[in-house]
Amino acid sequence: MDTKVNICGVELKNPVMTASGTFGSGREFSELTDLNGIGGVVVKGVAAVPWKGNPAPRIAEVYGGMLNSVGLQNPGVDYFIENDIPFLRQFDTKIVVNVCGHSIDQYKDVVRKLRGQDVDMLELNISCPNVDEGGMAFGTDPVMVEKVVYEVKKDADKPLIVKLSPNVTDITATAKAAARGGADALSLINTLTGMKIDIHKRAPVLYRKIGGMSGPAVKPIALRMVYEVCKCVDVPVIGMGGISNGEDAVEFIMAGATAVAIGTANFINPRATADTVRGIEEYMEKYNVSDLSEIRGIIE
Amino acid sequence: MKHIEKAKVISNRYIADDICDLVIECPNIAKEAGAGQFVEVYPDNGENLLARPISICEIDKTKGTVRLVFRIVGKGTALFSELKSGDIIRVLGPCGNGYRLMEDSKKTALLVGGGIGIPPLLETCKELECNKIAVLGYSSGSFLAEEFTRAGAKVYISTDDGSEGFKGNTVDLLKAEDIKADVIYSCGPKIMLKFLSQWAMERGIDCYVSMEERMACGIGACVGCVIPIKDGGDWTYKKVCKDGPVFDCKEVIW
């Protein structure tokens, strides 16, 4: 049985990654789960300079999921290079850096600083719904998507994954635009914009009123979008959105995903990545699948 | 080091109208837990996904149990209120940084708790080996107060409605009784902690406050539960779950 997958020349020991923003840089989770068992750690968004993020409340629970409006709080790329790369390199897992910015120049600054650093891939975050500039503002207009991907790709010395927003009418339009811009791979979905109101206080629960929804409740939407995107682009797709176990992961692979990422499930079960890897292996064993390519994209 | 355990419910009972007293067996967590830390309790019902942070009221390292006294405020805690002895719940902990306890036995520690902020101060009270004063504030009636007395504290009670002890809040009680102390450990509503901090700073007393914010992961990864904390001449968002929940009151931006 072979769970290895290859994304743009980078070989992952298994197709299970972490979704950016749900796993920090792995430090907190390393106490509770073995990072060596994860195909790739996609770290929390890294900006050119430290970002403070949004005021709290940043978290609200909703039926079968949650809302967040963290706003990409992060200590900046210099801190990341000094502290988080050496930490993650202690483990046998791939390092994927999620890159965020308020402008094309800021994205380029981060990518330039990461040139020559010991990381495996970059993920361009043009889909965060919780910032006023950059983020989703770039990720919902196909013309802008192509432009920002093209500009950032010029500075990247590692494969560039582009993370797409589901908050669009036609996900295939932004997917194709990212591929035209030079994306080496696509990842989707980021969170869906959502809201919760505290009727007792007559006020929104989140400080910013609107946040990004994630968790098992969004899985059917994410799966549909991954399926549509896999049908219209040739680059590898990393599927995510509500994946909590091996069965969920197999669905995304059958829809065409090369790899998958675990997000909110990490908060509910800190060992969700390991459990998902085991679940995929159990499925392969049960149905006598020797390589994931046998089931990838089998849904017509 | 944190652990995830399938904890067995030893006992669960109401000690006030909406307050439950839950004892669970989780030896690995109990072994490492200290005063002022909390555990994350998972509802595991399919609808409510996120763990509920609940402060540790008492730790019995010999029996491997922790005692959680919590208020029913929503669906998760309502679910926990129905747990019966023998039931199993998934628990992560111990989480956060607790109180750094004063070691000078000749000095006086003042514990100030408001409402459901009172439980974590009981373990704190039991671990302290100095003179102890507990000022406990409730909206109406009281709970756990006798246990503070048994743990060696001189206990003062305040209630908003005057049904027990002093009528008013804890800070008014401190002023009325002219209470003196060398260090303060506190947990309760933010508004109480704010005025207590002012009272403490005016008197030059070190004061440690346990803060609260909505959490997702409970271990510092999601960066959801932040509060603004002074940082040199600037400020930064710190995580309640990992950098706290206990902060020096002088660092908190109220």
Side-chain angles (χ1 to χ4, degrees), chain B residues 143-162:
Chain B
F143 56 87
L144 294 181
E146 313 78 52
E147 298 194 48
F148 281 85
T149 308
R150 284 206 289 278
K154 179 169 171 50
V155 174
Y156 295 85
I157 291 173
S158 74
T159 52
D160 294 340
D161 64 359

Side-chain angles (χ1 to χ4, degrees), chain B residues 157-170:
Chain B
I157 291 173
S158 74
T159 52
D160 294 340
D161 64 359
S163 57
E164 254 185 78
F166 178 85
K167 184 175 191 302
N169 64 45
T170 52

Side-chain angles (χ1 to χ4, degrees), chain A residues 28 31 58 61 268, chain B residues 2 50 52 90 223 242:
Chain A
E28 293 81 8
E31 245 184 287
R58 292 175 169 185
E61 190 181 59
I268 301 153
Chain B
K2 291 180 193 66
L50 301 177
R52 271 53 180 168
R90 206 159 52 94
V223 202
K242 189 182 178 187

Side-chain angles (χ1 to χ4, degrees), chain A residues 56-61 67 196 198 201 204-207, chain B residues 50-53 212-218 222-227 240-241:
Chain A
R58 292 175 169 185
I59 302 289
E61 190 181 59
L67 299 169
K196 182 174 182 175
D198 182 333
K201 292 181 184 160
V205 174
L206 296 175
Y207 178 89
Chain B
L50 301 177
R52 271 53 180 168
E212 228 182 354
E213 190 47 70
R214 283 175 183 270
M215 290 180 189
C217 72
C222 74
V223 202
C225 60
V226 296
I227 56 167
V240 170
C241 72

Side-chain angles (χ1 to χ4, degrees), chain A residues 144-196:
Chain A
M144 196 63 195
V145 168
E146 184 174 345
K147 186 178 172 195
V148 63
V149 172
Y150 176 77
E151 286 297 326
V152 174
K153 172 74 183 164
K154 282 196 280 193
D155 290 327
D157 68 345
K158 304 284 180 336
L160 183 69
I161 305 164
V162 175
K163 186 162 181 179
L164 300 178
S165 170
N167 301 300
V168 292
T169 311
D170 180 7
I171 189 82
T172 65
T174 43
K176 284 187 254 182
R180 276 198 306 275
D184 298 300
L186 302 178
S187 57
L188 67 151
I189 60 173
N190 205 316
T191 54
L192 289 144
T193 51
M195 191 174 183
K196 182 174 182 175

Side-chain angles (χ1 to χ4, degrees), chain A residues 6-107:
Chain A
N6 190 302
I7 304 174
C8 337
V10 178
E11 189 177 89
L12 277 60
K13 66 168 74 161
N14 64 57
V16 179
M17 306 170 82
T18 61
S20 180
T22 66
F23 210 72
S25 282
R27 197 172 265 109
E28 293 81 8
F29 280 94
S30 64
E31 245 184 287
L32 297 162
T33 192
D34 182 8
L35 302 194
N36 295 302
I38 301 173
V41 171
V42 184
V43 304
K44 181 166 171 54
V46 175
V49 294
W51 286 9
K52 278 186 157 55
N54 296 326
R58 292 175 169 185
I59 302 289
E61 190 181 59
V62 295
Y63 198 106
M66 62 177 281
L67 299 169
N68 91 80
S69 85
V70 172
L72 295 170
Q73 177 177 340
N74 77 90
V77 65
D78 294 333
Y79 179 95
F80 174 79
I81 290 169
E82 195 178 329
N83 296 281
D84 292 350
I85 296 176
F87 171 77
L88 278 169
R89 268 296 170 242
Q90 300 173 79
F91 304 95
D92 179 20
T93 187
K94 299 298 176 192
I95 304 174
V96 183
V97 189
N98 183 277
V99 176
C100 54
H102 290 311
S103 65
I104 290 179
D105 284 342
Q106 289 185 8
Y107 287 115

